[in-house]
Amino acid sequence: WAASAHNHESFLHCLSHHSPNTSSISKIIYTPTNPSYSSVLNFSIHNLRFTSPKTPKPHIIVTPFLVSQIQASIICAKKTGFQIRTRSGGHDYEGLSYVSDVSFVVVDLINLRSISVDAENNVAWVQSGATIGELYYRIAEKSKTLGFPAGVCPTVGVGGHFSGGGYGLMLRKFGLAADNVIDAYFIDVNGKLHDRKSMGEDVFWAIRGGGGASFGIVLAWKIKLLPVPSIVTVFTITRTLEQNATDLIHRWQYVSSKQDDKLFIRIILTGINTTNSQHGNKRTIEAAFNSLFLGKIEELVPIMEKTFPELGLTKEDCIEMSWIESVLYFAGFSRGQPLNVLLDRRPLTPKRFFKAKSDYVNEPIPKAGLEGIWELFDEEEAEAAVLILSPYGGIMDKISESEIPFPHRAGNLYKIQHLVYWDEEGEDIAKRHINWIRKLYSYMAPFVSKNPRAAYINYRDLDIGTNEKNGRNTSYNEASVWGVKYFKGNFKRLVSVKTKVDPSNFFKNEQSIPSLKPWW
Ligand code: FDA
């Protein structure tokens, strides 16, 4: 500790030395003795698994207001032997933006969240510390007919989300957030600020889906805004097993990725308890068919009658609204809430403990396969488990696997996000829930993608493989274990970009792209 206390002071000293305005430094530094340290650290933690006293904590949190303060943080961390973890929204499922086993500094971009929307030219600049809710709000402030295809939960941070891909209900029409980035500001390992031109096409390619944390710190993104109709339609139809859910889900697998690309119907599966006079209390599965259509009810209903009549959608099931109102709808806000709820960085529901995994499905799962999942949902640990099935197809089939590092394109019918939540503290409880989701994951193996068993980096899962611990360098082969699952054939190019832009492997974490040093 004595050694790190010394580093600590050297870091602060270095930061003042590199900052033109020394008095402002004290406003952006939080050390464990600062009364606000815990609240600053915990504010952006979204998974309670990483709030326990045993979780390693940063020696210093820096919350820059200026680019020069990020640049100084990089230079000084390097000089004084600290690792950097960059945090934008803090939603990383495994806490990689604020937890590390070695001495580390968190560079928290919460104060760098400006957004400027140019509705005439259909573009916007957004800083990484903004949330996607803030972005949607600022777009809607300027235009009712422009939108952006990013995630569903408004508190997700732009920095991690865009750099890992980022998808939501307009995925089939417009692709990922990262597909619609046209420029960026990026700070490299030497503290140098670049735009697209000066970082070069390799780095610009890598930060759009390869996970930003391996390469440097992305300060801001220039994005294309996309046309949305002034009226869109939403619906949510729920069915239990007793109401034919298995047949409907089975059928959905054949139609959802072939639909009109303006239509996105996902399925949210949960276990619920029902009561009826005949059978008393009974556990069942509820499938919520939750949908956005980029058009009006009168256009949607005939499409559904033709392509998915089994669901029995009627116009009474549908609600027309503006695109920004649909953002609130899918985020779980009740109707009529003011749009500025999107500016609130606090989550709508209380934070919980959770573990998640992801899978891609290339062939429909047979009904018997689905029924095996329902059995696992009967177990006690699955009380708050959720599976979210998101259809692919549409533009996702047309973008090449190597266009950006995110490789999951043609050939995927849908993606599954497996989630298990719990609310009580304790290692035993956590272990039981994590074991349950691992069991589900093993059960799913025959039904999902193979060689590799593909995964989505933004649903970070350290079970699929990690780098060497304690800062040791990881070889290409070792890192391929997890890297090929996230990036398929793009992993190789990511390693070559990393080797060029950060040869000494300064920016590293449990799943960062390794650098192949020239002497290896
Ligand atoms: P966080 O700050 O934790 O960063 C995540 C990773 O990116 C870390 O490795 C971090 O170091 C790195 N990083 C962050 N900012 C960086 C920067 N500026 N430069 C370089 N590296 C940076 N996903 C999705 O596609 N669609 C969805 O609808 C949702 N919904 C959703 C809801 C909820 C409640 C959660 C918790 C998560 C999601 N996600 C999601 C997943 C989400 O996209 C993923 O966790 C993102 O990485 C979160 O980005 P943050 O900036 O919030 O995370």
Side-chain angles (χ1 to χ4, degrees), residues 243-262:
Q243 296 166 321
N244 220 14
T246 308
D247 287 346
L248 289 172
I249 297 163
H250 185 253
R251 180 76 195 131
W252 170 91
Q253 300 181 99
Y254 290 86
V255 296
S256 59
S257 63
K258 318 272 181 316
Q259 291 279 18
D260 188 315
D261 59 9
K262 290 187 299 197

Side-chain angles (χ1 to χ4, degrees), residues 149-405:
V152 182
C153 172
T155 57
V156 166
V158 162
H161 190 61
F162 288 16
S163 65
Y167 82 99
L169 289 109
M170 298 202 290
L171 167 92
R172 305 189 63 250
K173 176 73 181 164
F174 298 123
L176 307 167
D179 291 324
N180 293 289
V181 169
I182 50 178
D183 202 342
Y185 285 123
F186 166 80
I187 303 166
D188 72 15
V189 67
N190 301 313
K192 206 163 169 238
L193 177 67
H194 299 275
D195 63 5
R196 175 174 181 168
K197 197 159 170 233
S198 73
M199 79 179 87
E201 284 306 300
D202 267 350
V203 176
F204 184 61
W205 174 83
I207 58 171
R208 288 173 297 152
S214 300
F215 305 99
I217 298 184
V218 186
L219 174 67
W221 311 77
K222 186 178 186 183
I223 55 173
K224 255 190 297 187
L225 303 179
L226 283 317
V228 292
S230 54
I231 293 178
V232 304
T233 302
V234 302
F235 69 81
T236 305
I237 291 186
T238 57
R239 294 283 184 267
T240 60
L241 295 185
E242 294 68 31
Q243 296 166 321
N244 220 14
T246 308
D247 287 346
L248 289 172
I249 297 163
H250 185 253
R251 180 76 195 131
W252 170 91
Q253 300 181 99
Y254 290 86
V255 296
S256 59
S257 63
K258 318 272 181 316
Q259 291 279 18
D260 188 315
D261 59 9
K262 290 187 299 197
L263 178 56
F264 184 94
I265 310 173
R266 63 177 182 165
I267 304 179
I268 303 169
L269 295 171
T270 45
I272 59 160
N273 297 316
T274 52
T275 326
N276 78 28
S277 49
Q278 264 187 325
H279 302 107
N281 283 342
K282 194 172 180 294
R283 185 119 179 110
T284 186
I285 300 289
E286 184 179 85
F289 294 82
N290 178 239
S291 174
L292 172 70
F293 177 65
L294 296 170
K296 292 187 178 174
I297 296 176
E298 62 192 28
E299 196 187 342
L300 170 63
V301 172
I303 292 178
M304 288 294 285
E305 277 167 359
K306 199 166 152 215
T307 56
F308 195 12
E310 298 84 351
L311 192 62
L313 183 84
T314 65
K315 62 179 193 307
E316 286 72 30
D317 297 314
C318 303
I319 316 170
E320 289 183 341
M321 55 180 66
S322 64
W323 173 75
I324 194 69
E325 285 169 330
S326 81
V327 168
L328 268 67
Y329 175 85
F330 292 108
F333 292 102
S334 47
R335 274 219 88 186
Q337 291 262 2
L339 297 183
N340 64 12
V341 291
L342 293 174
L343 302 178
D344 194 341
R345 294 178 79 98
R346 290 166 306 176
L348 179 62
T349 52
K351 293 178 182 177
R352 307 178 82 179
F353 299 86
F354 70 91
K355 169 78 187 159
K357 294 178 162 293
S358 57
D359 261 317
Y360 283 88
V361 179
N362 309 136
E363 301 283 339
I365 301 177
K367 282 185 202 170
L370 295 173
E371 280 156 2
I373 305 177
W374 310 159
E375 279 173 31
L376 286 167
F377 265 76
D378 278 339
E379 296 183 14
E380 201 187 320
E381 289 76 20
E383 197 194 340
V386 185
L387 296 193
I388 304 176
L389 282 50
S390 297
Y392 270 45
I395 197 174
M396 293 300 276
D397 281 354
K398 296 181 191 114
I399 301 175
S400 110
E401 278 195 6
S402 58
E403 182 72 29
I404 63 170

Side-chain angles (χ1 to χ4, degrees), residues 348-488:
L348 179 62
T349 52
K351 293 178 182 177
R352 307 178 82 179
F353 299 86
F354 70 91
K355 169 78 187 159
K357 294 178 162 293
S358 57
D359 261 317
Y360 283 88
V361 179
N362 309 136
E363 301 283 339
I365 301 177
K367 282 185 202 170
L370 295 173
E371 280 156 2
I373 305 177
W374 310 159
E375 279 173 31
L376 286 167
F377 265 76
D378 278 339
E379 296 183 14
E380 201 187 320
E381 289 76 20
E383 197 194 340
V386 185
L387 296 193
I388 304 176
L389 282 50
S390 297
Y392 270 45
I395 197 174
M396 293 300 276
D397 281 354
K398 296 181 191 114
I399 301 175
S400 110
E401 278 195 6
S402 58
E403 182 72 29
I404 63 170
F406 177 100
H408 315 294
R409 305 287 185 174
N412 291 299
L413 298 178
Y414 60 98
K415 183 193 34 220
I416 307 181
Q417 178 175 201
H418 316 276
L419 283 152
V420 65
Y421 295 94
W422 62 100
D423 293 310
E424 310 93 84
E425 272 180 47
E427 282 179 24
D428 265 10
I429 305 255
K431 211 166 166 186
R432 274 186 18 228
H433 287 86
I434 292 172
N435 284 343
W436 178 83
I437 202 168
R438 287 180 180 156
K439 185 155 80 170
L440 170 73
Y441 192 70
S442 308
Y443 172 80
M444 295 301 293
F447 307 116
V448 297
S449 63
K450 295 169 193 67
N451 305 318
R453 183 169 181 181
Y456 174 38
I457 187 180
N458 267 349
Y459 293 157
R460 175 102 54 198
D461 177 9
L462 295 184
D463 290 353
I464 68 169
T466 58
N467 292 339
E468 291 284 341
K469 293 242 165 163
N470 305 322
R472 246 201 64 206
N473 279 325
T474 303
S475 71
Y476 179 88
N477 284 343
E478 285 165 325
S480 301
V481 171
W482 57 266
V484 169
K485 291 173 186 151
Y486 286 147
F487 306 116
K488 296 191 183 174

Side-chain angles (χ1 to χ4, degrees), residues 52-125:
S52 101
K54 281 192 181 162
T55 308
K57 308 278 186 289
H59 282 71
I60 300 165
I61 306 170
V62 189
T63 57
F65 284 92
L66 305 170
V67 181
S68 60
Q69 294 165 339
I70 304 182
Q71 295 170 307
S73 301
I74 296 175
I75 292 164
C76 296
K78 247 176 29 183
K79 216 175 190 171
T80 53
F82 283 110
Q83 190 179 79
I84 282 188
R85 294 293 169 117
T86 306
R87 181 162 80 169
S88 289
H91 285 61
D92 194 281
Y93 283 3
E94 299 278 13
L96 297 196
S97 55
Y98 53 84
V99 182
S100 173
D101 281 339
V102 299
S103 301
F104 71 112
V105 171
V106 166
V107 175
D108 188 326
L109 302 179
I110 190 161
N111 296 321
L112 285 161
R113 57 170 191 264
S114 78
I115 298 169
S116 71
V117 174
D118 175 355
E120 265 161 41
N121 294 303
N122 298 355
V123 291
W125 270 103

